[in-house]
Amino acid sequence: MASSNSTDHSLFISDIHLCEQRPDISQAFVDFCAHQATQASHLYILGDLCDAWLGDDDNCAIAELLQQQLLMLAEKNVKVSIMVGNRDFLMGHEFSKACNCKLLPDPSVIELYDQSALLMHGDSMCTADKEYMDFREMIRDPKMQQTLLNKPLSERRAIATMLREKSRSANATKAEDIMDVTASEVTRAFEQHGVDILIHGHTHRPAVHQLPSTDEKKLKRYVLGDWDSKGWYLKAQQGQIALHSFEF
Ligand code: MN
């Protein structure tokens, strides 16, 4: 008899924050690829897969581990789509090509079985954090990205460390709610793209939100969790979407 795992399904993850300082997270990711992802038709990674990404030319241990895992999935005919986040925004086509993955623009609308779903990293909806939004605009500028990529790796590494420190000290003094999505931005995203489903990460507030809607439609916002003390993923199949967590 076919197990439920063999039903055609897609998985969504985000905010894994792979880094050399957390071998436990790397191991959890490797296990997830081997056991869960190989069973899926499609794996969507919605940003911040890595805690930092200095450029596709950086052959660090994390990049090697990732390439190995993603190529393994490609060999097993699992489609992999990657959207970058605010940590790994320099991940590019060179890497995705080397891993047989597709880079997804943020936002993207996909056909998810019987429905359309809007996929985002999530940071673009956190508009109450003005300081962050200015920073986002700067780092998403292709010219700025090229300027960064033209710098030697050692210099990029120093910049990444500096940015992480800056973000840590800034976030420590920010009110909790300004680091979450702005409600009106969520409504705007649903309206602009005409979808009933939104899936995103970034806020580290895993949840399934049902939104009030003016008509009969039921709008659902699925927020993926970050991998820190637990792992999180969303499993979607015909007529069913569920958020899961697991210990590692
Ligand atoms: Mn993020």
Side-chain angles (χ1 to χ4, degrees), residues 15 17 47-48 85-87 121 123 132 201-204:
D15 305 279
H17 295 285
D48 291 354
N86 51 301
R87 300 299 202 106
H121 176 53
D123 57 331
Y132 173 72
H202 178 69
T203 59
H204 300 189

Side-chain angles (χ1 to χ4, degrees), residues 112-173:
L112 190 59
Y113 305 101
D114 51 347
Q115 301 181 80
S116 295
L118 171 61
L119 311 181
M120 300 169 100
H121 176 53
D123 57 331
S124 61
M125 294 183 289
C126 300
T127 53
D129 191 344
K130 295 275 184 295
E131 190 188 0
Y132 173 72
M133 291 310 281
D134 289 346
F135 172 73
R136 185 180 193 275
E137 204 185 307
M138 182 182 76
I139 60 166
R140 293 278 170 151
D141 175 22
K143 260 196 226 148
M144 177 60 172
Q145 295 193 354
Q146 201 48 58
T147 306
L148 274 174
L149 289 170
N150 289 342
K151 292 180 191 295
L153 258 175
S154 57
E155 200 174 322
R156 278 179 264 161
R157 202 164 285 130
I159 292 171
T161 306
M162 192 258 301
L163 287 177
R164 229 182 352 252
E165 273 311 310
K166 227 178 133 189
S167 148
R168 197 173 298 143
S169 62
N171 288 347
T173 58

